[in-house]
């Protein structure tokens, strides 16, 4: 069901400009069906996570939030980052969660959070550290790692950088893409397959649509 477009007004050179966007709303009759489907996929995913942990995998979460938009309030960013951390902990049972609180999705993963965003990280007490801390951990751990991210763009939109990242850190055996807010599903990717298939890596090429990863 489509509801009437939402109109917003903004001033530009003393002239009024109206912007509209359509909002799509799921009919009430389908709510229960969709909720049950999402819950089914979520339960199955949690069982898969527990199975991986039972076989020795360490579940690590990583999140990236885009650069601030004009007019964004710092407290809003902190609130959303905290929610994203919580989602990784609750949905994926991540033992550690690393965060890039302000960075571009096309920036190389190994170059993120340089210099360290000290003030933002002080507000994120539930985060284990930044991307640089994650890199440090991956460099010395001997455990098999399952890396969980919120949406493909939450990790990278550059297939070549993705390939470089997983080749540099072979302890990453699996990558889980949490797409529950947008599709109700998760994608579990085997890094051995990603390394051997350029078509698999192309999934990271670009974001198909806007996704609210903080959901």
């Amino acid at each position: 069901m489509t509801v009437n477009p939402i109109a917003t007004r903004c001033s530009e050179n003393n002239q009024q400009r109206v912007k509209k966007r359509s909002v799509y709303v799921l009919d009430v009759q389908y709510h229960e069906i969709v909720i049950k489907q999402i819950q089914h996929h979520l339960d199955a995913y949690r069982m898969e996570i527990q199975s991986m942990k039972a076989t020795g995998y360490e579940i690590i979460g990583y999140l990236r939030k885009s650069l601030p938009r004009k007019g964004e309030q710092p407290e809003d960013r902190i609130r959303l980052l905290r929610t994203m951390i919580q989602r990784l902990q609750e949905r994926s049972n991540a033992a550690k969660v690393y965060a890039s609180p302000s960075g571009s999705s096309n920036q190389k993963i190994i170059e993120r959070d340089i210099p360290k965003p000290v003030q933002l990280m002080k507000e994120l007490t539930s985060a284990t550290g930044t991307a640089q801390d994650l890199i440090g951990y991956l460099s010395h751990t001997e455990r098999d790692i399952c890396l969980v991210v919120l949406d493909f763009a939450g990790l990278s939109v550059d297939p070549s950088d993705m390939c470089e990242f997983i080749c540099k850190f072979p302890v990453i055996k699996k990558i889980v893409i949490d797409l529950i807010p947008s599709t109700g599903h998760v994608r579990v990717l085997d890094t051995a397959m990603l390394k051997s298939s350029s078509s698999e890596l192309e999934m990271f090429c670009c974001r198909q649509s806007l996704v609210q990863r903080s959901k």
Side-chain angles (χ1 to χ4, degrees):
M1 177 176 68
T2 306
V3 299
N4 292 332
I6 296 174
T8 57
R9 294 182 180 275
C10 58
S11 177
E12 188 174 291
N13 298 326
N14 296 321
Q15 294 182 346
Q16 289 284 325
R17 182 161 56 91
V18 178
K19 297 188 295 182
K20 293 185 177 182
R21 59 181 179 180
S22 296
V23 177
Y24 297 91
V25 180
L26 183 69
D27 284 337
V28 174
Q29 61 180 316
Y30 299 116
H31 284 190
E32 186 175 354
I33 296 173
V34 172
I35 290 170
K36 287 182 177 179
Q37 288 178 339
I38 292 174
Q39 188 61 54
H40 171 74
H41 291 303
L42 186 56
D43 290 343
Y45 168 57
R46 284 173 173 161
M47 289 179 63
E48 186 168 6
I49 286 290
Q50 289 304 317
S51 177
M52 283 192 283
K53 293 182 72 173
T55 56
Y57 277 89
E58 182 175 14
I59 312 300
I60 291 180
Y62 171 73
L63 64 93
R64 178 201 62 81
K65 188 156 181 61
S66 301
L67 297 168
R69 295 180 180 180
K70 184 177 180 180
E72 180 183 281
Q73 298 301 310
E75 56 269 25
D76 291 334
R77 172 165 292 262
I78 291 166
R79 174 179 56 81
L80 292 172
L81 284 164
R82 288 172 176 168
T83 300
M84 294 165 76
I85 294 170
Q86 185 179 4
R87 293 294 176 263
L88 286 166
Q89 292 171 334
E90 292 179 352
R91 282 207 288 257
S92 301
N93 199 15
K96 300 179 178 69
V97 177
Y98 296 88
S100 292
S102 181
S104 170
S105 59
N106 56 19
Q107 181 183 23
K108 284 184 173 294
I109 299 170
I110 62 172
E111 296 176 359
R112 293 176 187 171
D113 303 319
I114 301 175
K116 183 175 182 177
V118 177
Q119 292 305 316
L120 271 173
M121 293 307 296
K122 283 182 178 179
E123 301 290 340
L124 304 178
T125 55
S126 54
T128 308
T130 67
Q132 293 305 308
D133 297 308
L134 170 61
I135 289 165
Y137 184 74
L138 294 174
S139 298
H140 73 259
T141 186
E142 297 181 356
R143 296 187 64 181
D144 289 342
I145 300 297
C146 172
L147 185 65
V148 185
V149 296
L150 305 174
D151 169 342
F152 286 99
L155 185 54
S156 178
V157 294
D158 183 346
S160 62
D161 184 43
M162 271 301 306
C163 187
E164 180 182 336
F165 179 64
I166 59 179
C167 288
K168 185 176 180 65
F169 302 107
V171 292
I172 304 175
K173 304 298 184 184
K174 294 184 184 295
I175 297 176
V176 172
I177 313 295
D178 183 344
L179 299 169
I180 290 175
S182 57
T183 69
H185 296 76
V186 298
R187 292 288 302 272
V188 181
L189 308 175
D190 190 292
T191 56
M193 180 66 72
L194 290 174
K195 292 173 188 177
S196 63
S197 173
S198 58
S199 61
E200 291 287 318
L201 281 169
E202 286 303 310
M203 290 186 291
F204 291 92
C205 189
C206 63
R207 183 183 296 179
Q208 299 295 322
S209 59
L210 292 176
V211 176
Q212 294 183 3
R213 292 190 305 277
S214 59
K215 294 296 185 183

